[in-house]
Amino acid sequence: MPEVLIIGAGPAGLAAATAARRAGARVVVLDAAEDVGGQYWRHLPQQRPAGREEVLHHGWERFTGLRRELTGVEIVTGAQVWLAERHDGRPPTVHILVGPADGADRVRRVFDPGALVLATGAYERTLPFPGWDLPGVFTAGAAQALAKSERVAVGRRVLVAGAGPFLLPVASSLIRTGARVVGVLEAGGWSRLGRAWTARPTELLSASHKAGELAGYARDLVRHRVPYRVATGVIAAHGHDRVEEVTVARLDAQWAPVPGTSRRVAVDAVCVGHGFVPRSELAVAAGCQTGPDGTVVVDADCRSSVPGVFAAGEITGIGGADLALAEGTIAGTVAAGAAPTSAQRRDVLVYQRFATRLSDGHGIRPGWAEWLADDTLICRCEEVTAGELRDIAAATGSRGLRSLKLSTRAGLGVCQGRVCGRSVEELLDRTTGGLLDPGRTANRPLAGLVRLGELARTQGDPS
Amino acid sequence: MTTTGPARLEAADDPVSPGPTSEIAIVVDGSEIRGLAGQTIAGVLLAAGRQSWRTTARQGRPRGVFCGIGVCFDCLVTVNGLRDVRACQRHAADGDEVSTDA
Ligand SMILES: Cc1cc2nc3c(=O)[nH]c(=O)nc-3n(C[C@H](O)[C@@H](O)[C@H](O)COP(=O)(O)OP(=O)(O)OC[C@H]3O[C@@H](n4cnc5c(N)ncnc54)[C@H](O)[C@@H]3O)c2cc1C
Ligand code: FES
C-alpha cells in the first residue's frame, strides 16, 4: 500500500507527488486521463508527440521538469476513481477501474493509503442561454482541450465569451489551431475589473509571471486584431441543427442584458465559460467538510477535516495553475510527514491574492437569469426548460431542493447535475423565495460511470 | 473541402510541429472515417467535420461535444456494441465500430 496516494495528475497532483517523493514517501498517482498534466498541461498524445509543445503552453518547462522528477513514483493513468469508501478518522478506501474510458472490462484496484491527497481540479460552469444546446456551442474548456490534445479547432469563425482571464488562452489556442476568432467577450465591466486588477499593484508584481502569461495572450489578440469587449456577453445562439449566429448584448453590472444593445454575429462555433466548479465529489464522499461554494475546506497545511486526507488545487478554491502548484507542494510535503519551507508557504499566499482578484472581477452575477426564455433548456440531460422549472415549483409550492429536483427531473440526468446543478439551484432559490436545503448538488456517491457488469464483478460475482 | 465547422490543423501548417503518426480508420454507422492514432473518437468525428452525432430522447435534438472533458455526457456513442461511451474520453482504436443511434 502506498504511503501517499494522490488522485489527479494536474499541476496540484504533480507538485504533490514530487514533493512527497522528495520527502522520502512511497507515492502512487492516479488519473483518469491517458497521460499526466491535468487540464492546464494537456498536450498531444504519446503516439504523436509535438516538436514544439511550448507554442501552446506558458511554463511548459515547469511541466517537463516535474515529469522528470516523477521517477520512482508509480503513475496509473486511465484510472477512473469511482468510489471513495468513507471511514471515520482516516483516509477512505479508494476504488479504481483501469482501462479504456467507459470500457466494460477494466481492471479493478483498491487502495488503503496512509495519506490521501485529493487534486481532482475543476470543471467549467457555463450559464444557460437560449440555444446553448445547439451543436457548435462549446464550453471554452472544450475548445482548449481539443486544440491542445487533438489540434482540432472547434470552428473556423469562432466567438469566445463568458468571464475570467481563462478566455484569453482559449482565444490564443484557437488562433494557433487555425481558427479565426471574431471576438472575446468578457461579462465583467471595466469598473469592476479595474477595481479588482489595479488595487494594490505591488501584490501583482510578486505574481508577475502570471501577469506576463496574460500579457502574452493579449499580444496574440492584438496581432490578430481580435476585439476584446467587456460588459458584453452572448445571450442567445441561433440555427436549425447547428449554431449559425449568436446574439451579443451589452450587460449591466449585474450581467442583465441592456435593452436595445443586442446584435447578431455570424459564427460556426461559440465557446462559452463563466467560471469553474470544484470537482469535489470524492472529497465529499470521503467525509471532507466543504464550504458553501463547494470548495474543500483546508488549513494552511492543506489538511482537510478528515485526518490523513489533504486537498490541493482548484478543489480548494479556483485560483489557477500557479496556486495549484504551490498548494500541491504543501500538501505533498505534509502528507509525507515533512515540513514546508517558509518560501513555499509564501507562494501560496501570493497566488491566493490573485484568486481573490479573479472572483472580485469576474464572479458570476445574478442578472444572467434575464436572458433566459421560457423554452430555454436549463438541464441539458433531462431537457427541462426554465418555464417548466418555474411552473412545477409554483404548482407544488415546495421549497425543498431535493423534492423539486425529483418533481422537475432537473439535475437528475446522466451528468448528475454537474453541468446545470448550480444554475438549477440559483433559479429555484429565486422562484421559491429561498430553498430550505440548498447546496446538496455535490453529493454524488459514485464519482464516475460504472457499468453494472463491472460492479457485479467487483463484488466478487464472476459474471 | 468545406470552409465551415470544426477542422484539424494539418501537421505541415502546425506551429506545434506534431510528430509523425500512423493513420487509423473507424467505422461510424457503416461509413469509414480516417483519423490519427492517439485521437479520441470525438476528435476523429470533429476532424471529419461532424459537429453532432447523437439525438436527445425527449425533444429529438442533435448533440455532439459540449464540455470536451468527460463531464456532460452529451457526446455518448456506442463502441463495438457497448453503449454509453463518452466519445471525448475514449481513444479511437483502429477498426472500432461506432454507432450513434443508441
Ligand atoms: C477543460 C479545461 C481546460 C483548462 N485549460 C486551462 C488553460 O489552458 N490555462 C489555464 O490557466 N487554466 C486552464 N484551466 C483551469 C484549470 O483548472 C487550471 O487552473 C489547472 O489545471 C488546475 O490544476 P489542478 O491540478 O487543480 O486540476 P486539473 O488540472 O484539473 O487536474 C485534475 C486531474 O484530476 C483528474 N481526476 C478528477 N477526478 C478524477 C477521478 N474521479 N478519477 C481519476 N482522476 C480524476 C482529472 O483527470 C485531472 O487530470 C482549464 C480547466 C478546464 C476544466
Ligand atoms: S463532451 Fe462532455 S462528456 Fe464528452
Side-chain angles (χ1 to χ4, degrees):
Chain A
M1 278 298 138
E3 286 155 22
V4 179
L5 181 69
I6 296 167
I7 306 179
L14 292 179
T18 52
R21 186 81 197 102
R22 246 177 276 133
R26 225 173 68 69
V27 182
V28 177
V29 181
L30 310 174
D31 200 297
E34 306 249 326
D35 207 346
V36 298
Q39 303 301 354
Y40 189 69
W41 285 315
R42 261 173 186 272
H43 52 277
L44 278 168
Q46 285 146 2
Q47 294 93 331
R48 200 187 171 208
R52 302 187 59 226
E53 192 68 65
E54 65 279 5
V55 168
L56 292 178
H57 291 88
H58 285 262
W60 181 247
E61 329 69 58
R62 181 85 198 257
F63 172 65
T64 51
L66 282 170
R67 195 168 53 180
R68 268 195 306 274
E69 263 195 78
L70 289 171
T71 25
V73 171
E74 186 192 354
I75 308 218
V76 191
T77 52
Q80 175 71 49
V81 178
W82 63 275
L83 180 65
E85 199 186 333
R86 179 172 182 166
H87 304 296
D88 283 335
R90 66 177 171 96
T93 303
V94 172
H95 297 254
I96 69 171
L97 289 163
V98 188
D102 302 336
D105 305 304
R106 291 175 287 180
V107 176
R108 179 197 183 200
R109 284 180 70 179
V110 180
F111 298 87
D112 263 310
L116 175 66
V117 179
L118 296 168
T120 48
Y123 49 83
E124 225 169 342
R125 176 155 180 212
T126 297
L127 296 169
F129 54 87
W132 74 312
D133 53 315
L134 279 172
V137 179
F138 298 88
T139 66
Q144 183 71 323
L146 286 158
K148 282 183 172 176
S149 53
E150 309 261 0
R151 303 305 289 131
V152 165
V154 293
R156 314 282 171 96
R157 229 186 111 75
V158 187
L159 189 65
V160 178
F166 175 53
L167 302 178
L168 299 177
V170 172
S172 168
S173 293
L174 277 164
I175 293 168
R176 289 168 187 228
T177 311
R180 173 151 172 245
V181 177
V182 294
V184 176
L185 312 182
E186 161 67 49
W190 277 130
S191 61
R192 203 171 144 218
L193 298 181
R195 268 198 309 279
W197 292 102
T198 56
R200 302 177 303 282
T202 47
E203 256 177 42
L204 268 187
L205 283 181
S206 41
S208 60
H209 126 89
K210 186 83 214 171
E213 174 177 346
L214 292 175
Y217 301 132
R219 272 196 299 278
D220 267 2
L221 296 196
V222 172
R223 191 173 314 127
H224 293 269
R225 298 179 200 286
V226 177
Y228 177 79
R229 305 215 186 292
V230 300
T232 309
V234 165
I235 59 163
H238 317 275
H240 178 57
D241 48 18
R242 62 178 190 85
V243 64
E244 287 161 19
E245 281 186 329
V246 290
T247 299
V248 167
R250 281 193 62 80
L251 304 178
D252 68 18
Q254 295 306 316
W255 292 17
V258 178
T261 62
S262 64
R263 63 192 168 89
R264 296 248 189 157
V265 179
V267 294
D268 60 2
V270 56
C271 308
V272 190
H274 297 95
F276 292 93
V277 182
R279 203 167 192 160
S280 51
E281 59 252 28
L282 287 173
V284 171
C288 302
Q289 195 194 330
T290 52
D293 52 355
T295 55
V296 181
V297 177
V298 289
D299 67 11
D301 281 342
C302 291
R303 288 178 208 276
S304 77
S305 61
V306 176
V309 179
F310 299 77
E314 303 283 64
I315 60 164
T316 69
I318 304 306
D322 293 292
L323 181 58
L325 282 164
E327 290 179 344
T329 303
I330 304 283
T333 305
V334 181
T341 65
S342 49
Q344 288 169 337
R345 292 194 185 279
R346 209 163 38 239
D347 268 359
V348 172
L349 297 178
V350 166
Y351 292 113
Q352 261 166 359
R353 293 193 202 112
F354 187 81
T356 311
R357 288 170 192 267
L358 266 183
S359 60
D360 286 354
H362 308 273
I364 289 172
R365 299 272 126 168
W368 62 268
E370 307 284 318
W371 68 55
L372 303 177
D374 272 359
D375 62 354
T376 305
L377 283 193
I378 305 298
C379 172
R380 299 169 64 98
C381 299
E382 294 290 312
E383 300 175 84
V384 184
T385 65
E388 285 167 329
L389 206 60
R390 192 193 49 227
D391 292 348
I392 295 175
T396 60
S398 164
R399 287 175 61 197
L401 178 59
R402 183 169 281 188
S403 72
L404 280 169
K405 277 168 62 179
L406 284 173
S407 43
T408 61
R409 307 252 350 121
L412 295 183
V414 60
C415 91
Q416 295 184 288
R418 287 182 179 88
V419 176
C420 72
R422 296 231 167 156
S423 302
V424 166
E425 205 175 314
E426 273 184 50
L427 290 174
L428 285 176
D429 196 59
R430 278 183 239 171
T431 45
T432 59
L435 288 166
L436 303 173
D437 56 347
R440 283 174 187 271
T441 30
N443 228 332
R444 300 181 189 94
L446 297 185
L449 183 93
V450 186
R451 295 182 189 278
L452 287 182
E454 282 180 319
L455 259 190
R457 260 197 317 277
T458 61
Q459 298 303 324
D461 180 331
S463 71
Chain B
M1 195 177 123
T2 58
T3 50
T4 182
R8 191 181 69 227
L9 190 59
E10 288 306 325
D13 305 327
D14 193 337
V16 169
S17 312
T21 184
S22 49
E23 270 208 4
I24 56 166
I26 62 174
V27 179
V28 180
D29 299 328
S31 313
E32 188 182 275
I33 300 188
R34 296 189 159 273
L36 301 176
Q39 281 194 291
T40 61
I41 290 175
V44 172
L45 286 164
L46 286 163
R50 290 272 304 259
Q51 229 169 13
S52 62
W53 45 84
R54 190 173 69 89
T55 310
T56 61
R58 200 172 148 201
Q59 299 185 355
R61 300 291 298 153
R63 295 276 172 91
V65 164
F66 178 62
C67 76
I69 61 161
V71 168
C72 75
F73 292 78
D74 259 3
C75 65
L76 294 182
V77 290
T78 297
V79 181
N80 304 324
L82 189 67
R83 292 173 57 121
D84 298 334
V85 174
R86 289 167 297 169
C88 72
Q89 297 300 292
R90 172 62 80 88
H91 283 243
D94 194 38
D96 271 348
E97 298 261 354
V98 176
S99 96
T100 64
D101 52 7

